[in-house]
Amino acid sequence: ARVNIVTETLFKQFPTLESYAEAPEEEIAEAIKTCGLFHNKAKNLVLMARELTARFGGEVPADHDALESLPGVGRKTANVVLNEAFGIVDAIAVDTHVFRVANRLGLADAPDVLKTEHQLMQNIPQSQWSRAHHWLIYHGRRVCAARKPACESCTLRAWCEYANGNPKGKK
């Protein structure tokens, strides 16, 4: 949610790949300072812009390994970029919301995001992977908050491991 707010201004201030590649890290850091770890993110944005220019001719690659080779890009971000930018849905992007909600609901029973991703891919039809990612994020932000989930008003309560006291949901 914070990233969506910050990028509106950021994209106006730095409208091109070249503007990121040439920008001092401090300027980008100032623009994104309300995000966590903003110094590291600013550094990675500059480095990523330079790598995209030098190695990929200024184009974002439509390849998972190539994306993950870029500074600051991990598995989740690569999955999101492939899905949203290229329509390639070969995995489910798992962020903190997806991880928490999937494990609470019992769609996964996994100690880490990679295992959660694989279990979700087994438990959700591939045609729904992109939507499921968004549904789980939305549910995690609006209902199934990390510190105080609204179990009493949750429409998924009947099926939820967490709400029904199952330790898989880590209640």
Side-chain angles (χ1 to χ4, degrees):
R2 170 63 38 201
V3 169
N4 293 340
I5 293 166
V6 168
T7 54
E8 186 175 336
T9 304
L10 182 70
F11 292 163
K12 288 177 185 167
Q13 189 175 349
F14 302 97
T16 65
L17 183 62
E18 293 76 22
S19 62
Y20 286 94
E22 296 168 2
E25 286 177 30
E26 299 77 30
E27 274 187 46
I28 294 179
E30 181 62 27
I32 65 171
K33 69 182 175 188
T34 59
C35 291
L37 305 171
F38 66 94
H39 287 294
N40 198 41
K41 288 177 181 168
K43 177 179 134 190
N44 284 330
L45 283 169
V46 171
L47 293 173
M48 180 176 50
R50 291 175 183 166
E51 288 284 314
L52 284 172
T53 302
R55 291 178 39 219
F56 299 103
E59 297 291 324
V60 175
D63 174 79
H64 202 281
D65 291 336
L67 286 166
E68 278 198 67
S69 76
L70 294 167
V73 177
R75 183 170 185 83
K76 183 215 49 161
T77 300
N79 287 342
V80 169
V81 169
L82 289 173
N83 182 356
E84 298 296 329
F86 298 104
I88 299 169
V89 185
D90 62 356
I92 296 177
V94 178
D95 66 2
T96 57
H97 298 296
V98 173
F99 176 77
R100 179 180 67 254
V101 173
N103 281 281
R104 282 183 177 173
L105 287 172
L107 293 170
D109 180 15
D112 59 56
V113 293
L114 185 58
K115 288 182 178 147
T116 297
E117 177 186 322
H118 291 151
Q119 289 178 14
L120 287 173
M121 290 165 60
Q122 291 173 349
N123 292 327
I124 298 171
Q126 187 171 4
S127 63
Q128 299 299 311
W129 288 356
S130 179
R131 288 188 195 122
H133 164 79
H134 292 288
W135 292 332
L136 291 166
I137 289 172
Y138 183 81
H139 191 69
R141 288 180 180 165
R142 302 283 191 258
V143 180
C144 196
R147 291 190 181 110
K148 191 171 185 216
C151 297
E152 65 285 343
S153 63
C154 180
T155 57
L156 301 175
R157 182 183 177 118
W159 301 278
C160 180
E161 300 281 348
Y162 181 88
N164 292 302
N166 188 314
K168 277 199 311 190
K170 297 175 180 67
K171 189 168 189 177

